[in-house]
Amino acid sequence: FEKKEEFYNYQRSLNYTALDGTKVKSESEREILNFFLMHNLNGKRINVVYENPAEWMKYKDKNGKEYTPKPDFYFPDFDVYLEHWAIGKNGKVPRWFSGDNPTKEYIETMNIKKEKYNSNNKILFETSQADFEGNVLYKVLGERFIKAITDKRQNKEFKLSLISYNELVERVWEDCKEFVKTISANISKFIVIAKTYRLYPLDIESTLNKERWSPKQICFAKIANIIYVKYQKELEKNNHIDFSDMIN
């Protein structure tokens, strides 16, 4: 991307990826995450975690199988949760849901989760697919979020404010830079794993040409292989071996 705004527009065009790069399961969940990214609370960025496992919510289904739910959104600064239920205006789940009676099964699970919130004295606020379909999702999100955190801290006032477009572009760019920082660590892991399986740069190049890989896999492997070649030459130049070489 030549400009920060180009990256922002790219992120905005993705259906199941929020502006900060988080992969989500629906367009409505993407809009929820984007809402909190586009707003400040009392002048500061809102800390929100997507699908973090909640051990305190563990339950067993009718067949005795144990589940650890992942609440849709968690706000750790307030210990408050948001669940976005997939129930539309027609009172049913989307058609692509599987099962003999997907709506009935979904509502049963939804009720189990709600009971867990109640029995563990957790503050929960809710939205649904009906809000998304009715184009009121942003409105109810702000109202219900403020109410939930105010109930948690009754002695404090909270105000949501929409950040400027330029600030949003900068915020998305900063998240991109944080992601880029992980690439070097991933390349390091890639090289260690490749060497452990005795795959060297020429082997990887051959594998890329002969087998089918996704565009993302190909792009990453080509970048990693450039570093791998330089790394191997550096070892050979100094007559060194690394831990993977020792294992082999």
mmCIF file of all heavy atoms in Angstrom, residues 53-84:
data_model
loop_
_atom_site.group_PDB
_atom_site.id
_atom_site.type_symbol
_atom_site.label_atom_id
_atom_site.label_comp_id
_atom_site.label_asym_id
_atom_site.label_seq_id
_atom_site.Cartn_x
_atom_site.Cartn_y
_atom_site.Cartn_z
ATOM 1 N N PRO A 53 -12.147 -17.426 25.407
ATOM 2 C CA PRO A 53 -12.791 -18.517 26.157
ATOM 3 C C PRO A 53 -13.069 -18.136 27.612
ATOM 4 O O PRO A 53 -12.229 -17.542 28.280
ATOM 5 C CB PRO A 53 -11.762 -19.653 26.079
ATOM 6 C CG PRO A 53 -10.935 -19.338 24.883
ATOM 7 C CD PRO A 53 -10.869 -17.842 24.799
ATOM 8 N N ALA A 54 -14.260 -18.485 28.086
ATOM 9 C CA ALA A 54 -14.671 -18.175 29.465
ATOM 10 C C ALA A 54 -14.823 -19.480 30.237
ATOM 11 O O ALA A 54 -15.829 -20.191 30.093
ATOM 12 C CB ALA A 54 -15.976 -17.388 29.473
ATOM 13 N N GLU A 55 -13.829 -19.809 31.046
ATOM 14 C CA GLU A 55 -13.851 -21.060 31.805
ATOM 15 C C GLU A 55 -15.051 -21.127 32.753
ATOM 16 O O GLU A 55 -15.598 -22.199 33.004
ATOM 17 C CB GLU A 55 -12.548 -21.213 32.604
ATOM 18 C CG GLU A 55 -11.298 -21.408 31.754
ATOM 19 C CD GLU A 55 -11.296 -22.736 31.014
ATOM 20 O OE1 GLU A 55 -11.786 -23.733 31.586
ATOM 21 O OE2 GLU A 55 -10.842 -22.775 29.857
ATOM 22 N N TRP A 56 -15.458 -19.975 33.275
ATOM 23 C CA TRP A 56 -16.569 -19.952 34.234
ATOM 24 C C TRP A 56 -17.919 -20.287 33.582
ATOM 25 O O TRP A 56 -18.902 -20.523 34.271
ATOM 26 C CB TRP A 56 -16.660 -18.579 34.910
ATOM 27 C CG TRP A 56 -16.767 -17.425 33.953
ATOM 28 C CD1 TRP A 56 -15.750 -16.687 33.441
ATOM 29 C CD2 TRP A 56 -17.961 -16.897 33.383
ATOM 30 N NE1 TRP A 56 -16.217 -15.719 32.588
ATOM 31 C CE2 TRP A 56 -17.584 -15.826 32.540
ATOM 32 C CE3 TRP A 56 -19.311 -17.214 33.513
ATOM 33 C CZ2 TRP A 56 -18.508 -15.085 31.821
ATOM 34 C CZ3 TRP A 56 -20.232 -16.475 32.791
ATOM 35 C CH2 TRP A 56 -19.837 -15.419 31.957
ATOM 36 N N MET A 57 -17.950 -20.338 32.249
ATOM 37 C CA MET A 57 -19.192 -20.643 31.532
ATOM 38 C C MET A 57 -19.310 -22.107 31.119
ATOM 39 O O MET A 57 -20.261 -22.487 30.441
ATOM 40 C CB MET A 57 -19.308 -19.769 30.279
ATOM 41 C CG MET A 57 -19.798 -18.368 30.536
ATOM 42 S SD MET A 57 -20.039 -17.447 28.992
ATOM 43 C CE MET A 57 -21.650 -18.065 28.490
ATOM 44 N N LYS A 58 -18.367 -22.925 31.512
ATOM 45 C CA LYS A 58 -18.379 -24.330 31.090
ATOM 46 C C LYS A 58 -19.724 -24.985 31.388
ATOM 47 O O LYS A 58 -20.307 -24.774 32.447
ATOM 48 C CB LYS A 58 -17.275 -25.112 31.801
ATOM 49 C CG LYS A 58 -15.931 -25.050 31.120
ATOM 50 C CD LYS A 58 -14.938 -25.967 31.813
ATOM 51 C CE LYS A 58 -13.575 -25.920 31.141
ATOM 52 N NZ LYS A 58 -12.600 -26.783 31.835
ATOM 53 N N TYR A 59 -20.186 -25.800 30.444
ATOM 54 C CA TYR A 59 -21.433 -26.543 30.676
ATOM 55 C C TYR A 59 -21.399 -27.836 29.854
ATOM 56 O O TYR A 59 -20.568 -27.991 28.943
ATOM 57 C CB TYR A 59 -22.647 -25.700 30.285
ATOM 58 C CG TYR A 59 -22.815 -25.485 28.795
ATOM 59 C CD1 TYR A 59 -23.604 -26.348 28.020
ATOM 60 C CD2 TYR A 59 -22.195 -24.413 28.146
ATOM 61 C CE1 TYR A 59 -23.761 -26.148 26.652
ATOM 62 C CE2 TYR A 59 -22.342 -24.211 26.790
ATOM 63 C CZ TYR A 59 -23.134 -25.088 26.041
ATOM 64 O OH TYR A 59 -23.277 -24.891 24.687
ATOM 65 N N LYS A 60 -22.295 -28.757 30.179
ATOM 66 C CA LYS A 60 -22.410 -30.017 29.441
ATOM 67 C C LYS A 60 -23.751 -30.061 28.716
ATOM 68 O O LYS A 60 -24.775 -29.651 29.266
ATOM 69 C CB LYS A 60 -22.296 -31.207 30.400
ATOM 70 C CG LYS A 60 -20.904 -31.380 30.991
ATOM 71 C CD LYS A 60 -20.825 -32.608 31.888
ATOM 72 C CE LYS A 60 -19.418 -32.767 32.476
ATOM 73 N NZ LYS A 60 -19.327 -33.948 33.366
ATOM 74 N N ASP A 61 -23.715 -30.550 27.468
ATOM 75 C CA ASP A 61 -24.968 -30.668 26.718
ATOM 76 C C ASP A 61 -25.717 -31.929 27.145
ATOM 77 O O ASP A 61 -25.278 -32.655 28.052
ATOM 78 C CB ASP A 61 -24.707 -30.658 25.210
ATOM 79 C CG ASP A 61 -23.910 -31.877 24.737
ATOM 80 O OD1 ASP A 61 -23.731 -32.833 25.527
ATOM 81 O OD2 ASP A 61 -23.472 -31.876 23.577
ATOM 82 N N LYS A 62 -26.839 -32.188 26.518
ATOM 83 C CA LYS A 62 -27.676 -33.329 26.907
ATOM 84 C C LYS A 62 -26.983 -34.671 26.708
ATOM 85 O O LYS A 62 -27.380 -35.685 27.292
ATOM 86 C CB LYS A 62 -28.997 -33.299 26.129
ATOM 87 C CG LYS A 62 -28.835 -33.286 24.624
ATOM 88 C CD LYS A 62 -30.175 -33.060 23.943
ATOM 89 C CE LYS A 62 -30.000 -32.947 22.427
ATOM 90 N NZ LYS A 62 -31.294 -32.633 21.762
ATOM 91 N N ASN A 63 -25.920 -34.688 25.909
ATOM 92 C CA ASN A 63 -25.160 -35.924 25.691
ATOM 93 C C ASN A 63 -23.947 -36.029 26.611
ATOM 94 O O ASN A 63 -23.163 -36.966 26.514
ATOM 95 C CB ASN A 63 -24.704 -36.008 24.225
ATOM 96 C CG ASN A 63 -25.870 -36.042 23.261
ATOM 97 O OD1 ASN A 63 -26.851 -36.749 23.505
ATOM 98 N ND2 ASN A 63 -25.774 -35.290 22.174
ATOM 99 N N GLY A 64 -23.795 -35.048 27.493
ATOM 100 C CA GLY A 64 -22.686 -35.073 28.442
ATOM 101 C C GLY A 64 -21.393 -34.488 27.915
ATOM 102 O O GLY A 64 -20.366 -34.522 28.609
ATOM 103 N N LYS A 65 -21.428 -33.927 26.700
ATOM 104 C CA LYS A 65 -20.220 -33.329 26.130
ATOM 105 C C LYS A 65 -20.001 -31.951 26.735
ATOM 106 O O LYS A 65 -20.915 -31.147 26.823
ATOM 107 C CB LYS A 65 -20.351 -33.207 24.607
ATOM 108 C CG LYS A 65 -19.078 -32.728 23.927
ATOM 109 C CD LYS A 65 -19.230 -32.716 22.416
ATOM 110 C CE LYS A 65 -17.947 -32.238 21.742
ATOM 111 N NZ LYS A 65 -18.081 -32.199 20.270
ATOM 112 N N GLU A 66 -18.747 -31.671 27.162
ATOM 113 C CA GLU A 66 -18.443 -30.407 27.834
ATOM 114 C C GLU A 66 -18.036 -29.328 26.833
ATOM 115 O O GLU A 66 -17.300 -29.585 25.887
ATOM 116 C CB GLU A 66 -17.323 -30.606 28.853
ATOM 117 C CG GLU A 66 -17.100 -29.400 29.765
ATOM 118 C CD GLU A 66 -16.129 -29.691 30.881
ATOM 119 O OE1 GLU A 66 -14.918 -29.780 30.591
ATOM 120 O OE2 GLU A 66 -16.569 -29.846 32.030
ATOM 121 N N TYR A 67 -18.545 -28.125 27.055
ATOM 122 C CA TYR A 67 -18.240 -26.984 26.210
ATOM 123 C C TYR A 67 -17.707 -25.824 27.047
ATOM 124 O O TYR A 67 -18.170 -25.606 28.164
ATOM 125 C CB TYR A 67 -19.491 -26.504 25.462
ATOM 126 C CG TYR A 67 -19.948 -27.421 24.354
ATOM 127 C CD1 TYR A 67 -20.902 -28.408 24.594
ATOM 128 C CD2 TYR A 67 -19.417 -27.307 23.066
ATOM 129 C CE1 TYR A 67 -21.334 -29.252 23.574
ATOM 130 C CE2 TYR A 67 -19.835 -28.154 22.046
ATOM 131 C CZ TYR A 67 -20.791 -29.112 22.307
ATOM 132 O OH TYR A 67 -21.203 -29.958 21.303
ATOM 133 N N THR A 68 -16.741 -25.104 26.491
ATOM 134 C CA THR A 68 -16.275 -23.853 27.092
ATOM 135 C C THR A 68 -16.625 -22.743 26.110
ATOM 136 O O THR A 68 -15.938 -22.559 25.105
ATOM 137 C CB THR A 68 -14.760 -23.862 27.346
ATOM 138 O OG1 THR A 68 -14.428 -24.948 28.214
ATOM 139 C CG2 THR A 68 -14.308 -22.553 27.980
ATOM 140 N N PRO A 69 -17.701 -22.010 26.357
ATOM 141 C CA PRO A 69 -18.129 -20.966 25.428
ATOM 142 C C PRO A 69 -17.106 -19.847 25.274
ATOM 143 O O PRO A 69 -16.287 -19.604 26.160
ATOM 144 C CB PRO A 69 -19.423 -20.434 26.063
ATOM 145 C CG PRO A 69 -19.899 -21.538 26.945
ATOM 146 C CD PRO A 69 -18.645 -22.176 27.469
ATOM 147 N N LYS A 70 -17.191 -19.182 24.130
ATOM 148 C CA LYS A 70 -16.372 -18.002 23.868
ATOM 149 C C LYS A 70 -17.315 -16.820 23.668
ATOM 150 O O LYS A 70 -17.874 -16.651 22.586
ATOM 151 C CB LYS A 70 -15.521 -18.200 22.601
ATOM 152 C CG LYS A 70 -14.513 -19.335 22.690
ATOM 153 C CD LYS A 70 -13.779 -19.485 21.364
ATOM 154 C CE LYS A 70 -12.783 -20.631 21.406
ATOM 155 N NZ LYS A 70 -12.100 -20.803 20.088
ATOM 156 N N PRO A 71 -17.556 -16.027 24.715
ATOM 157 C CA PRO A 71 -18.433 -14.861 24.571
ATOM 158 C C PRO A 71 -18.003 -14.010 23.375
ATOM 159 O O PRO A 71 -16.808 -13.850 23.111
ATOM 160 C CB PRO A 71 -18.233 -14.111 25.886
ATOM 161 C CG PRO A 71 -17.850 -15.181 26.867
ATOM 162 C CD PRO A 71 -17.009 -16.145 26.075
ATOM 163 N N ASP A 72 -18.976 -13.487 22.654
ATOM 164 C CA ASP A 72 -18.675 -12.741 21.428
ATOM 165 C C ASP A 72 -17.696 -11.600 21.680
ATOM 166 O O ASP A 72 -16.700 -11.463 20.968
ATOM 167 C CB ASP A 72 -19.970 -12.193 20.816
ATOM 168 C CG ASP A 72 -20.861 -13.316 20.290
ATOM 169 O OD1 ASP A 72 -20.322 -14.359 19.897
ATOM 170 O OD2 ASP A 72 -22.089 -13.140 20.291
ATOM 171 N N PHE A 73 -17.981 -10.781 22.705
ATOM 172 C CA PHE A 73 -17.124 -9.626 22.987
ATOM 173 C C PHE A 73 -16.982 -9.442 24.500
ATOM 174 O O PHE A 73 -17.945 -9.583 25.239
ATOM 175 C CB PHE A 73 -17.714 -8.345 22.377
ATOM 176 C CG PHE A 73 -17.979 -8.452 20.904
ATOM 177 C CD1 PHE A 73 -19.235 -8.801 20.444
ATOM 178 C CD2 PHE A 73 -16.978 -8.219 19.977
ATOM 179 C CE1 PHE A 73 -19.489 -8.926 19.085
ATOM 180 C CE2 PHE A 73 -17.211 -8.343 18.617
ATOM 181 C CZ PHE A 73 -18.476 -8.693 18.163
ATOM 182 N N TYR A 74 -15.759 -9.135 24.901
ATOM 183 C CA TYR A 74 -15.479 -8.915 26.327
ATOM 184 C C TYR A 74 -14.741 -7.590 26.484
ATOM 185 O O TYR A 74 -13.820 -7.288 25.713
ATOM 186 C CB TYR A 74 -14.620 -10.062 26.874
ATOM 187 C CG TYR A 74 -14.195 -9.901 28.313
ATOM 188 C CD1 TYR A 74 -15.127 -9.675 29.325
ATOM 189 C CD2 TYR A 74 -12.846 -9.979 28.670
ATOM 190 C CE1 TYR A 74 -14.726 -9.521 30.654
ATOM 191 C CE2 TYR A 74 -12.441 -9.847 29.986
ATOM 192 C CZ TYR A 74 -13.400 -9.611 30.973
ATOM 193 O OH TYR A 74 -13.011 -9.461 32.286
ATOM 194 N N PHE A 75 -15.169 -6.809 27.480
ATOM 195 C CA PHE A 75 -14.547 -5.520 27.774
ATOM 196 C C PHE A 75 -13.816 -5.634 29.110
ATOM 197 O O PHE A 75 -14.408 -5.447 30.175
ATOM 198 C CB PHE A 75 -15.619 -4.419 27.817
ATOM 199 C CG PHE A 75 -16.393 -4.305 26.531
ATOM 200 C CD1 PHE A 75 -17.517 -5.088 26.307
ATOM 201 C CD2 PHE A 75 -15.979 -3.438 25.536
ATOM 202 C CE1 PHE A 75 -18.227 -4.999 25.112
ATOM 203 C CE2 PHE A 75 -16.675 -3.339 24.336
ATOM 204 C CZ PHE A 75 -17.810 -4.129 24.127
ATOM 205 N N PRO A 76 -12.530 -6.013 29.074
ATOM 206 C CA PRO A 76 -11.788 -6.327 30.306
ATOM 207 C C PRO A 76 -11.655 -5.159 31.284
ATOM 208 O O PRO A 76 -11.525 -5.377 32.484
ATOM 209 C CB PRO A 76 -10.411 -6.769 29.789
ATOM 210 C CG PRO A 76 -10.309 -6.229 28.407
ATOM 211 C CD PRO A 76 -11.699 -6.192 27.872
ATOM 212 N N ASP A 77 -11.701 -3.929 30.791
ATOM 213 C CA ASP A 77 -11.585 -2.773 31.693
ATOM 214 C C ASP A 77 -12.794 -2.646 32.617
ATOM 215 O O ASP A 77 -12.711 -1.967 33.653
ATOM 216 C CB ASP A 77 -11.426 -1.478 30.889
ATOM 217 C CG ASP A 77 -10.109 -1.439 30.122
ATOM 218 O OD1 ASP A 77 -9.177 -2.182 30.511
ATOM 219 O OD2 ASP A 77 -10.006 -0.685 29.141
ATOM 220 N N PHE A 78 -13.896 -3.306 32.231
ATOM 221 C CA PHE A 78 -15.126 -3.195 33.020
ATOM 222 C C PHE A 78 -15.675 -4.550 33.456
ATOM 223 O O PHE A 78 -16.647 -4.615 34.203
ATOM 224 C CB PHE A 78 -16.204 -2.465 32.215
ATOM 225 C CG PHE A 78 -15.780 -1.115 31.723
ATOM 226 C CD1 PHE A 78 -15.277 -0.953 30.439
ATOM 227 C CD2 PHE A 78 -15.843 -0.008 32.555
ATOM 228 C CE1 PHE A 78 -14.863 0.290 29.981
ATOM 229 C CE2 PHE A 78 -15.441 1.237 32.113
ATOM 230 C CZ PHE A 78 -14.946 1.384 30.825
ATOM 231 N N ASP A 79 -15.057 -5.642 32.965
ATOM 232 C CA ASP A 79 -15.561 -6.994 33.206
ATOM 233 C C ASP A 79 -17.024 -7.097 32.759
ATOM 234 O O ASP A 79 -17.903 -7.594 33.468
ATOM 235 C CB ASP A 79 -15.443 -7.380 34.694
ATOM 236 C CG ASP A 79 -15.650 -8.874 34.913
ATOM 237 O OD1 ASP A 79 -15.379 -9.655 33.986
ATOM 238 O OD2 ASP A 79 -16.105 -9.258 36.015
ATOM 239 N N VAL A 80 -17.264 -6.615 31.547
ATOM 240 C CA VAL A 80 -18.605 -6.591 30.948
ATOM 241 C C VAL A 80 -18.567 -7.363 29.629
ATOM 242 O O VAL A 80 -17.567 -7.314 28.907
ATOM 243 C CB VAL A 80 -19.063 -5.132 30.710
ATOM 244 C CG1 VAL A 80 -20.261 -5.071 29.775
ATOM 245 C CG2 VAL A 80 -19.400 -4.457 32.033
ATOM 246 N N TYR A 81 -19.650 -8.060 29.317
ATOM 247 C CA TYR A 81 -19.719 -8.891 28.117
ATOM 248 C C TYR A 81 -20.822 -8.426 27.175
ATOM 249 O O TYR A 81 -21.840 -7.864 27.612
ATOM 250 C CB TYR A 81 -19.990 -10.353 28.495
ATOM 251 C CG TYR A 81 -18.870 -11.015 29.260
ATOM 252 C CD1 TYR A 81 -18.770 -10.855 30.638
ATOM 253 C CD2 TYR A 81 -17.915 -11.777 28.611
ATOM 254 C CE1 TYR A 81 -17.733 -11.460 31.357
ATOM 255 C CE2 TYR A 81 -16.883 -12.391 29.313
ATOM 256 C CZ TYR A 81 -16.801 -12.226 30.681
ATOM 257 O OH TYR A 81 -15.779 -12.817 31.377
ATOM 258 N N LEU A 82 -20.609 -8.689 25.893
ATOM 259 C CA LEU A 82 -21.632 -8.457 24.872
ATOM 260 C C LEU A 82 -21.823 -9.738 24.076
ATOM 261 O O LEU A 82 -20.859 -10.318 23.574
ATOM 262 C CB LEU A 82 -21.203 -7.319 23.926
ATOM 263 C CG LEU A 82 -21.937 -7.220 22.576
ATOM 264 C CD1 LEU A 82 -23.435 -6.993 22.761
ATOM 265 C CD2 LEU A 82 -21.336 -6.121 21.710
ATOM 266 N N GLU A 83 -23.064 -10.181 23.984
ATOM 267 C CA GLU A 83 -23.403 -11.320 23.125
ATOM 268 C C GLU A 83 -24.287 -10.806 21.996
ATOM 269 O O GLU A 83 -25.267 -10.087 22.223
ATOM 270 C CB GLU A 83 -24.155 -12.404 23.914
ATOM 271 C CG GLU A 83 -23.319 -13.135 24.947
ATOM 272 C CD GLU A 83 -22.393 -14.195 24.373
ATOM 273 O OE1 GLU A 83 -22.223 -14.241 23.133
ATOM 274 O OE2 GLU A 83 -21.822 -14.971 25.160
ATOM 275 N N HIS A 84 -23.907 -11.171 20.774
ATOM 276 C CA HIS A 84 -24.721 -10.826 19.610
ATOM 277 C C HIS A 84 -25.420 -12.101 19.146
ATOM 278 O O HIS A 84 -24.791 -12.988 18.600
ATOM 279 C CB HIS A 84 -23.861 -10.246 18.487
ATOM 280 C CG HIS A 84 -24.647 -9.874 17.277
ATOM 281 N ND1 HIS A 84 -25.439 -8.748 17.227
ATOM 282 C CD2 HIS A 84 -24.777 -10.487 16.066
ATOM 283 C CE1 HIS A 84 -26.027 -8.674 16.046
ATOM 284 N NE2 HIS A 84 -25.639 -9.720 15.327
#
